[in-house]
Amino acid sequence: MRVHKQLAELERDGRLFGIVTQNMDCLHTVAGSKNVAEFQGSFANNICIDCQSRSYDYNVWNQGHMPRCEKCGAPIMPTSFYTERNIRDAVLRTAMQKAIDMIAEADLVIIIGTTGFRSEEYMSRIRLSARIVQINPSETKFDASADLNIRADATEVLDAVMNLTKEG
């Protein structure tokens, strides 16, 4: 969670435009990031399995029990798990488009801690002039694309970045 908070601080300071993540857990939002694209779905985008009522609050999952629809009492599911393919696909298309738009405009793309699952959907959208930095202790499919590979834990690297930004 420390990395999530550090990224949120960089965003607040205007040094980071946004986050593109494959994670659905909303941890970037909880940490304070505002511009987040969760392109595989999100626990903040939910739907009732009976009446199709929508909920846009990840806090429904923090109650210690299965969330229920306020209108009809049926269980609520994240739209990315929902079986109605047309609803799920529309939500995921919107999130993926946000991710692609952010990546296509970036001057610097920092890839942190991912192996590259589903990366073909967004890597081809990075501008040719954009620089790519990867932070990952292990080899990944991004190694050849990255201008700089930092083989370390993201927490250590961002601790050093945060110290540099406070000094400068």
Side-chain angles (χ1 to χ4, degrees):
M1 186 65 158
R2 188 161 87 206
V3 169
H4 297 85
K5 289 180 180 180
Q6 290 167 321
L7 292 171
E9 184 177 336
L10 290 170
E11 183 183 1
R12 277 190 305 277
D13 292 346
R15 295 180 181 184
L16 179 71
F17 176 73
I19 305 284
V20 173
T21 182
Q22 296 175 349
N23 298 333
M24 298 175 54
D25 55 19
C26 301
L27 289 178
H28 289 289
T29 302
V30 171
S33 290
K34 302 294 182 206
N35 193 16
V36 180
E38 294 171 310
F39 73 82
Q40 291 196 136
S42 173
F43 283 106
N45 194 335
N46 304 292
I47 190 165
C48 172
I49 64 171
D50 281 349
C51 74
Q52 317 299 288
S53 178
R54 302 294 289 271
S55 166
Y56 300 96
D57 183 4
Y58 60 85
N59 288 311
V60 300
W61 296 99
N62 296 326
Q63 301 172 22
H65 57 81
M66 177 70 162
R68 299 271 175 187
C69 177
E70 291 181 7
K71 291 183 180 177
C72 74
I76 292 174
M77 295 293 292
T79 52
S80 55
F81 293 166
Y82 191 64
T83 56
E84 284 275 339
R85 186 177 184 108
N86 60 336
I87 293 173
R88 181 185 67 230
D89 289 351
V91 169
L92 294 178
R93 254 193 319 276
T94 301
M96 178 57 80
Q97 190 59 54
K98 180 178 180 180
I100 288 169
D101 291 347
M102 289 170 62
I103 288 168
E105 294 176 24
D107 295 319
L108 173 65
V109 174
I110 303 172
I111 301 169
I112 301 175
T114 185
T115 59
F117 176 70
R118 292 186 68 185
S119 63
E120 62 281 348
E121 297 181 62
Y122 55 85
M123 285 300 287
S124 64
R125 308 303 174 96
I126 295 175
R127 294 185 328 183
L128 292 176
S129 62
R131 306 301 293 216
I132 302 172
V133 174
Q134 176 183 215
I135 304 169
N136 198 317
S138 305
E139 292 182 10
T140 73
K141 67 187 327 182
F142 299 115
D143 288 359
S145 303
D147 296 290
L148 174 62
N149 285 297
I150 302 172
R151 295 280 182 243
D153 183 79
T155 304
E156 297 169 18
V157 175
L158 285 175
D159 281 345
V161 168
M162 300 308 287
N163 287 334
L164 288 173
T165 60
K166 288 176 182 156
E167 293 170 6

